[in-house]
């Protein structure tokens, strides 16, 4: 455990060094002082549009991403340069995910009372969610790299990137699949569950966490703190279960 903790710290310090190096480079369109304000402004305008429109289709993750994409196209910045310029955000991604545990702590007693049904739902959801996607992709002739990326679709980005690296998959493809899954789940999930007659905020939140990870958890927090707590719980447990089991299944 100590060796793993030391390794995680070394990896985090290496990322911190990369961020510092990027800031020290000469100013350009892909410099962090350009890319970071672009990200912030894109999300801010996306949030304004979402609150004004009031429709989940224009969720700030969707609207903000489209605005940032438009800015990158205007500036002529490709994805590797954008990824380098956004290094600080990648660095803060892990602590931000951990912060989602705050509503879980606030509703811990409610979560404990729903123990075994939650564990059964987690086991089925964590296995079936990626399995169905991989099965469909395999039927359509998807390559191994595509299948590996799809296996990480239901876990949050830091976990997906680490798994893709360990399983020799493509990290950028995994990140794209994770983002797409989260956006679709956040936009369509609550409405679909409502159509199915599911209104229990514990079930809605848990479903969002299993299927749409951190983006779904942010959407669940908009519904209620209880919904967000169950979504954060499902996201964390699903990520841990996937991180433990996926390397075993892939290497079999």
């Amino acid at each position: 455990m100590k060796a793993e903790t030391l390794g995680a710290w070394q990896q985090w310090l290496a990322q911190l060094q990369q961020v510092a190096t990027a800031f020290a480079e000469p100013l350009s369109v892909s410099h962090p002082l350009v890319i970071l304000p672009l990200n912030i402004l894109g999300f801010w305008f996306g949030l304004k549009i979402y609150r004004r429109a009031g429709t989940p289709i224009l969720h700030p993750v969707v609207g903000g991403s489209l605005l940032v994409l438009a800015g990158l196209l205007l500036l002529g910045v490709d994805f590797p340069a954008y990824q380098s310029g956004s290094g600080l955000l990648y660095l803060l991604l892990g602590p931000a995910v951990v912060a989602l545990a705050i509503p879980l702590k606030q509703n811990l007693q409610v979560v404990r009372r729903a123990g075994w049904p939650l564990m059964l739902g987690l086991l089925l959801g964590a296995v079936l969610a990626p399995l169905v996607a991989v099965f469909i992709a395999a039927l359509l002739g998807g390559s191994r790299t595509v299948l590996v990326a799809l296996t990480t679709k239901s876990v949050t980005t830091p976990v997906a990137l680490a798994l893709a690296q360990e399983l020799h998959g493509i990290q950028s493809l995994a990140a794209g699949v994770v983002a797409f899954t989260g956006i679709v789940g956040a936009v369509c999930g609550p409405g679909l569950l409502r159509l199915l007659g599911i209104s229990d905020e514990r079930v809605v939140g848990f479903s969002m966490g299993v299927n749409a990870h951190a983006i779904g958890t942010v959407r669940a927090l908009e519904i209620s703190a209880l919904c967000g707590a169950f979504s954060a719980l499902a996201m964390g447990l699903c990520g841990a279960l996937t991180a433990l089991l996926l390397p075993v299944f892939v290497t079999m």
Side-chain angles (χ1 to χ4, degrees):
M1 181 63 73
K2 289 183 178 179
E4 294 176 356
T5 304
L6 181 61
W9 267 108
Q10 290 175 339
Q11 186 177 7
W12 192 84
L13 289 175
Q15 292 178 347
L16 182 62
Q17 186 177 12
Q18 291 176 358
V19 171
T21 303
F23 272 95
E25 292 179 352
L27 189 63
S28 66
V29 291
S30 61
H31 194 277
L33 293 178
V34 176
I35 297 300
L36 290 176
L38 177 65
N39 285 321
I40 295 171
L41 285 174
F43 184 81
W44 185 75
F45 278 114
L47 186 60
K48 287 282 186 184
I49 295 171
Y50 171 66
R51 287 176 175 172
R52 180 68 64 88
T55 170
I57 297 176
L58 293 177
H59 192 276
V61 175
V62 179
S65 299
L66 291 176
L67 290 172
V68 171
L69 176 62
L72 294 177
L73 291 175
L74 286 174
L75 295 173
V77 178
D78 57 17
F79 179 74
Y82 169 74
Q83 190 176 28
S84 176
S86 301
L88 183 60
L89 294 181
Y90 282 91
L91 189 69
L92 297 176
L93 199 56
V97 171
V98 174
L100 292 175
I102 293 175
L104 174 61
K105 176 68 171 60
Q106 294 171 337
N107 293 275
L108 194 56
Q109 293 298 326
V110 181
V111 171
R112 282 176 175 169
R113 286 198 292 269
W116 284 111
L118 287 183
M119 293 303 104
L120 182 60
L122 170 71
L123 187 61
L124 291 175
V127 173
L128 290 180
L131 187 62
V132 171
V134 169
F135 180 71
I136 295 173
L139 287 179
L140 295 175
S143 64
R144 183 184 182 281
T145 53
V146 172
L147 298 183
V148 168
L150 287 174
T151 57
T152 64
K153 62 179 279 296
S154 295
V155 298
T156 191
T157 305
V159 179
L161 293 178
L163 285 173
Q165 184 178 19
E166 182 177 340
L167 300 175
H168 306 291
I170 303 175
Q171 286 186 309
S172 57
L173 179 59
V177 170
V178 169
F180 181 77
T181 302
I183 291 171
V184 172
V187 171
C188 303
L192 179 61
L193 291 170
R194 195 162 47 247
L195 285 175
L196 294 173
I198 299 172
S199 58
D200 190 324
E201 291 183 350
R202 298 173 300 173
V203 179
V204 173
F206 204 78
S207 302
M208 297 286 287
V210 168
N211 292 287
H213 46 81
I215 300 175
T217 300
V218 173
R219 179 73 178 92
L221 284 169
E222 294 177 357
I223 297 173
S224 73
L226 179 63
C227 190
F230 275 83
S231 184
L233 173 67
M235 178 191 67
L237 292 178
C238 186
L241 189 63
T242 304
L244 288 173
L245 297 181
L246 186 58
V248 177
F249 282 109
V250 171
T251 54
M252 285 178 64

